[in-house]
Every structure is written in C-alpha cells, then in structure tokens.
Amino acid sequence: MQLGIIGLGRMGGNIAKRLMDGGHTTVVYDRSTDAVKASVSAGATGASSLEDLVAKLAKPCAIWVMLPAGAPTEDTITALAAMLAPGDTLIDGGNSFYKDDIRRAKALAEKGLNYIDVGTSGGVWGLERGYCMMIGGDAAEVMRLDPIFATLAPGLGTIERTAGRTKTDDRAEHGYIHAGPAGAGHFVKMVHNGIEYGMMQAYAEGFDVLKMKNSNNLPPEERYDLDMTDIAEVWRRGSVISSWLLDLTALALASDAELAKYSGSVADSGEGRWTVEAAIEEAVPIPVLATALFARFRSREEHTYADRLLSAMRFGFGGHVEIPQ
C-alpha cells in the first residue's frame, strides 16, 4: 500500500523505513530537508510541502501525521483537511489527547474524511522490534489499512502464546489492536504511558535504595558497596521483575554506573497528566501513577540517582535527551 508520512523525527523516519522494508511505498515530508533526503535515500518519494505530498498520493489516500501533540499536530491536520477529498484518511500516530481525537473525527467526518488515532509504542527501537499499536476509529477503515498496521507491528515473534486465549481476532497477538471508535486508541496509549511512569519510578526508587546503602548515614557494618551493574544484570535473568525497561537500565548502567551524563531533570510528555485527569473524572484511585508523575515534577528542582536512572530509561526507549545541569 501507499502511505503519506508527515514528520520524520525519532519515530516517523523509522516508520517509513519499516514500511518500505515490508514492501509498501511512502511519500514523505518534514520541515527538515535533511530528514526528507534520508528517507528518499531509503526509497521514499520526497515532498517539498504538504500540498506537494497530497498531490503525489493516489486516491483515496492515507496520511500518517507523526508530530508532537498540540499545535504542530492540530495545525497540520487542519491544513490537510482543506486539501483532501472525501474518502481520504488522516492518521494521527503521535500522542494526542483522546478528547481532541473525538473532536477531530467529528469535524472531519462532516467533510467526508476518515480519521484514525494510533497510540504507537516502540520508540527508537521500533524499526527493528516493530511498533505496538492501539488504534481508534471506524472499524472498516482500520481494516482497509490493516496491511500498514500489520507491517509496522512486531508480529508473533518469540513470545510464548497465552494459554487459554480463545479470541478469533489475532491482531493483539501480533502487537496491535482496534481499541474502539475515535479516541480509543490514544486513550489506551495514554494509560499505557501512565503505567510506564509508575514502572519506571519503581525501578528508579529501588536502585536509589541500593545505591544509598553505602551512605555515611549508616553504621559501617551496615554499609554495602553494591554493584548496580551486576544487580541490574542478574535481575534481567529469571527475576519476576524482568522487563524491557530493566534491560534498558542494565544497558545504561553497563556504560556508566554513575549515570553522570544524565541530568535527572525528568520531563513528562502529557500522557501522565492526562491519565491522572481521566482517573479523577472516573473516580478511580491511582496513587502509584499520580505519585510517579509528581516525582517527575520534583526532579526538576532536585536531582537524585533515581532521577538520573529515569533519564537513562527515557533515553533508552525513546531517545529523549536530557542535558546535564
């Protein structure tokens, strides 16, 4: 299939390449001409503007917008809506707020345009590992574009199949789902990222406790000079708390046990806040997820070893660079 892609940053460029490696064709645009040239060298058709991208796509076309949430995505979708024809489809693969998806889908439907929201997880490793996707939108249109999603998804891989699972729709086993109507995809991804905050915070706090066991505040006989690198490594192998985040922690510690290159000033991208807001609306208690979000706020004022570990994990899966301060 053919897909237009707007935004060739840490994930967009790799999405284009994974699709092309899977036999699809892409037409790409980014404000950075260097990013466009890199995709063209990998086999994409480059576009010099939004208008040029739309003109180079066969009808009905599908365009994947991979830009930061908020104004960059909103302005781009608004501009594209004025250029597209009934039957065309806009896909937001970024991290937009799900209520914005509901609004956009309704407005675009009045013009005969389809809108699909795709919560996309995989970060900078997606080209190799594939992308876990949570998709919202019209079921028929999602199914029409299934070859795109199937190529981007990780596939069955080597993960053991879940015993007792009887679902006939095997997309979840391949790493993607149709979660529901407009906004459902980004809502599921939003909660996914809220959980991610909590998991990362648990690792960070645990390693902070280990690190401080050599503190001068303790009696000498109670101090242990523990090897963070070895602890992360042994927990990866057979431990009940093993995970990809722990794998990334081990990688970071192996290169620098003190994590000196990380600032420990930890950003939040929006989904953590939105998850807390949704929990308040639903009257659902989420003390772990809320505390993990507040810990990120605190990290911008006081930087601990735990904060540097959070920075290391964020760099590991998403390429997020936090400069030492």
Side-chain angles (χ1 to χ4, degrees), residues 1-7 15 19 25-29 47 49-67 73 76-77 79-85 87-94 108 113-118 141 144-145 148-149:
M1 295 186 75
Q2 184 191 58
L3 184 70
I5 300 176
I6 298 170
I15 284 173
L19 286 172
T25 60
T26 63
V27 180
V28 301
Y29 171 70
S49 64
L50 296 181
E51 293 85 354
D52 187 35
L53 179 137
V54 171
K56 289 177 175 176
L57 292 169
K59 296 292 185 176
C61 70
I63 300 174
W64 183 300
V65 178
M66 201 66 181
L67 296 171
T73 293
T76 300
I77 289 176
L80 288 169
M83 305 174 194
L84 298 178
D88 291 340
T89 299
L90 278 168
I91 303 167
D92 179 4
L108 292 172
L113 302 175
N114 302 301
Y115 180 81
I116 294 174
D117 54 284
V118 182
E141 186 62 14
R144 185 181 77 82
L145 296 173
I148 294 291
F149 302 128

Side-chain angles (χ1 to χ4, degrees), residues 119-189:
T120 311
S121 181
V124 296
W125 297 81
L127 174 60
E128 176 186 344
R129 294 166 58 106
Y131 299 91
C132 172
M133 291 170 291
M134 298 133 270
I135 305 167
D138 176 73
E141 186 62 14
V142 170
M143 186 55 67
R144 185 181 77 82
L145 296 173
D146 188 73
I148 294 291
F149 302 128
T151 299
L152 290 175
L156 280 173
T158 59
I159 297 175
E160 184 178 348
R161 303 186 81 166
T162 302
R165 180 177 171 83
T166 59
K167 293 270 189 174
T168 56
D169 184 345
D170 66 353
R171 286 179 292 183
E173 289 187 300
H174 287 259
Y176 66 112
I177 60 169
H178 177 224
H186 277 151
F187 184 80
V188 175
K189 176 59 162 48

Side-chain angles (χ1 to χ4, degrees), residues 95-116:
N95 284 325
S96 290
F97 186 40
Y98 78 99
K99 291 184 180 180
D100 290 334
D101 294 317
I102 296 171
R103 169 181 53 79
R104 290 175 192 153
K106 182 177 179 181
L108 292 172
E110 293 173 357
K111 298 183 177 184
L113 302 175
N114 302 301
Y115 180 81
I116 294 174

